[in-house]
Amino acid sequence: MGAEEYVPDKAGITGLRRAVQECRGCDLYKDATQAVFGEGPADAAVLVVGEVPGDQEDRQGHPFVGPAGRLLDRALVEAGIDRAQVYLTNAVKHFKYKPAERGKRRIHQKPGRTEVVACRPWLLAELDTVRPDLVVFLGATAAQSLLGTKFKVTQERGKVVELPDRTERAVATVHPSSVLRSDDREAAYRDLVADLRTAASVLG
Ligand code: URA
Ligand code: SF4
């Protein structure tokens, strides 16, 4: 169990992206269309970590191309973070879902801790390759991937923290999907943008 043995050394983003399609580090590859690797400049100043690809991402092979991605794009622009400076990825690279009881719909499922830990070597390889100044975590699953399960996004969101055993600084905030689900979308969106502004201020 775990992606370690599938992650090539010094492969660059292109080599990693090719290799991830062969990963069997957990069971999620079995039912997904493809692995969805991170995208963006290999020298990006900011590395943004989401949770797991959704239905659209699984079909298209690119991260954050669905509704949550559109909201994220808008929030980044509003916070003054240039998309051209951002490398965007997920804590888990294969879509997790269960089939709807009737029909063809695939219902998104949250990856478990085992899958997050299994997939972490890919995220660490992306970090080692991109070497960003700042990491932004979207939601608890993403944040806990590198900050540990004691990390509470509700309490620590919008604060600059250090990544354990690494040099990068990080800011955690909520997942854009939670904004879309919120009863008060406007407020939830404003808070997301505020956290991203704090992140932008680290970059100077
Ligand atoms: N949500 C995520 O966390 N990642 C994606 O790529 C899309 C939706
Ligand atoms: Fe490998 Fe991650 Fe896919 Fe699991 S989710 S098979 S660890 S790439």
Side-chain angles (χ1 to χ4, degrees):
M1 191 78 175
E4 195 87 62
E5 62 183 286
Y6 301 95
V7 181
D9 270 344
K10 300 191 173 66
I13 291 297
T14 312
L16 291 170
R17 181 176 296 115
R18 193 174 305 130
V20 76
Q21 299 304 341
E22 308 303 320
C23 186
R24 306 288 182 260
C26 74
D27 287 340
L28 293 183
Y29 75 89
K30 291 182 181 168
D31 297 325
T33 309
Q34 56 193 319
V36 179
F37 207 58
E39 289 181 0
D43 61 350
V46 188
L47 187 145
V48 175
V49 187
E51 182 182 86
V52 65
D55 180 79
Q56 286 300 315
E57 289 78 16
D58 173 78
R59 294 176 197 276
Q60 296 180 37
H62 303 290
F64 282 104
V65 290
R70 283 192 290 278
L71 186 131
L72 176 64
D73 282 348
R74 197 151 61 82
L76 285 169
V77 170
E78 217 167 304
I81 299 178
D82 181 1
R83 272 302 302 269
Q85 302 183 268
V86 174
Y87 181 92
L88 191 54
T89 192
N90 285 299
V92 172
K93 309 306 195 219
H94 277 103
F95 181 36
K96 182 174 183 180
Y97 66 96
K98 62 171 194 268
E101 285 185 13
R102 242 167 286 148
K104 291 203 194 114
R105 239 162 55 79
R106 306 186 301 171
I107 300 166
H108 166 104
Q109 291 201 287
K110 206 185 210 9
R113 183 68 187 165
T114 333
E115 290 144 351
V116 170
V117 171
C119 211
R120 190 165 50 195
W122 291 112
L123 180 58
L124 291 171
E126 288 176 297
L127 268 179
D128 286 335
T129 306
V130 177
R131 302 173 53 74
D133 299 323
L134 178 75
V135 179
V136 175
F137 295 109
L138 304 175
T141 302
Q144 291 183 352
S145 168
L146 298 184
L147 292 167
T149 51
K150 292 206 177 75
F151 185 86
K152 296 279 177 282
V153 170
T154 43
Q155 285 162 33
E156 303 293 329
R157 65 178 294 182
K159 293 183 192 167
V160 181
V161 299
E162 307 235 324
L163 287 187
D165 309 320
R166 301 194 60 94
T167 54
E168 295 90 354
R169 284 174 296 174
V171 172
T173 184
V174 296
H175 194 283
S177 301
S178 79
V179 174
L180 293 172
R181 284 193 308 264
S182 169
D183 293 333
D184 189 347
R185 268 209 211 189
E186 286 298 312
Y189 179 73
R190 264 199 316 276
D191 292 346
L192 169 64
V193 172
D195 292 347
L196 294 175
R197 285 217 173 93
T198 302
S201 71
V202 172
L203 300 171

